[in-house]
Amino acid sequence: MTETRPSWDEYFMSITEMVAQRATCLRRKVGAILVRDKRIIATGYNGAPAKVSHCLDIGCLREQQGIPSGERHELCRGLHAEQNAIIQAALHGFSVEGATLYCTNMPCAICSKMLINARIEKIYYKEGYADSLSSLLLAEAKVPVVQLG
């Protein structure tokens, strides 16, 4: 009997989906991992900063103010999963240069700019996101972006 093993991309995306389950956002649960040489160097999920109340506990500022998804990112208590992955790598002394990002969602424009400057080599994502500028920025910076089913 032969067993089928997941590809590396399937493997890392499945881990990303598990990371997303830690998210504290009421609107969507997003997970991200940074991988280099088939080794996970950092994980992140969306939620409020350490020592700050989570939306799960006090409600969503964006919902209260009627802010649509993909707009006014600064009006949110939470950090995005990609931001938290970059921060975790920095806190623990790991360079992310040359890493690959796996994310449950396509990065927004703010995260895309951070990923470009962090020298992320490639991005894999599962679901889209309502932010067309991110695709334009990543294409101009020649960062390959691949949607995984």
Side-chain angles (χ1 to χ4, degrees), residues 2-19:
T2 57
E3 291 184 39
T4 57
R5 295 172 68 194
S7 69
W8 284 108
D9 294 333
E10 292 167 337
Y11 171 72
F12 288 126
M13 188 57 76
S14 70
I15 293 170
T16 303
E17 290 169 342
M18 179 58 75
V19 170

Side-chain angles (χ1 to χ4, degrees), residues 8-9 11-12 15-16 32-43 85-86 88-90 92-102 115 117-124:
W8 284 108
D9 294 333
Y11 171 72
F12 288 126
I15 293 170
T16 303
I33 63 173
L34 290 166
V35 174
R36 190 174 47 240
D37 300 323
K38 296 185 176 117
R39 180 173 166 244
I40 298 170
I41 56 176
T43 66
I86 292 168
Q88 286 303 308
H92 298 285
F94 293 104
S95 171
V96 299
E97 184 175 1
T100 297
L101 174 82
Y102 290 84
L115 294 164
N117 274 3
R119 298 185 184 162
I120 298 305
E121 207 167 82
K122 192 169 190 177
I123 296 170
Y124 290 96

Side-chain angles (χ1 to χ4, degrees), residues 98-129:
T100 297
L101 174 82
Y102 290 84
C103 193
T104 55
N105 289 79
M106 174 71 183
C108 72
I110 293 170
C111 289
S112 293
K113 290 184 274 186
M114 291 177 70
L115 294 164
I116 291 165
N117 274 3
R119 298 185 184 162
I120 298 305
E121 207 167 82
K122 192 169 190 177
I123 296 170
Y124 290 96
Y125 73 97
K126 188 170 183 178
E127 297 177 12
Y129 188 69

Side-chain angles (χ1 to χ4, degrees), residues 11-145:
Y11 171 72
F12 288 126
M13 188 57 76
S14 70
I15 293 170
T16 303
E17 290 169 342
M18 179 58 75
V19 170
Q21 302 211 13
R22 290 280 308 152
T24 61
C25 177
L26 294 171
R27 283 190 166 185
R28 80 177 71 224
K29 294 190 177 298
V30 180
I33 63 173
L34 290 166
V35 174
R36 190 174 47 240
D37 300 323
K38 296 185 176 117
R39 180 173 166 244
I40 298 170
I41 56 176
T43 66
Y45 52 86
N46 57 328
K51 302 179 184 177
V52 174
S53 298
H54 293 285
C55 298
L56 282 176
D57 301 323
I58 63 167
C60 175
L61 177 65
R62 295 174 62 78
E63 286 293 326
Q64 293 162 4
Q65 295 186 11
I67 300 167
S69 182
E71 297 179 15
R72 305 292 314 267
H73 298 289
E74 75 280 7
L75 295 177
C76 179
R77 298 182 66 77
L79 291 159
H80 287 187
E82 305 92 322
Q83 295 167 342
N84 273 325
I86 292 168
I87 291 165
Q88 286 303 308
L91 281 172
H92 298 285
F94 293 104
S95 171
V96 299
E97 184 175 1
T100 297
L101 174 82
Y102 290 84
C103 193
T104 55
N105 289 79
M106 174 71 183
C108 72
I110 293 170
C111 289
S112 293
K113 290 184 274 186
M114 291 177 70
L115 294 164
I116 291 165
N117 274 3
R119 298 185 184 162
I120 298 305
E121 207 167 82
K122 192 169 190 177
I123 296 170
Y124 290 96
Y125 73 97
K126 188 170 183 178
E127 297 177 12
Y129 188 69
D131 188 341
S132 58
L133 179 57
S134 61
S135 296
L136 294 172
L137 293 167
L138 292 164
E140 184 176 343
K142 296 181 178 30
V143 177
V145 178

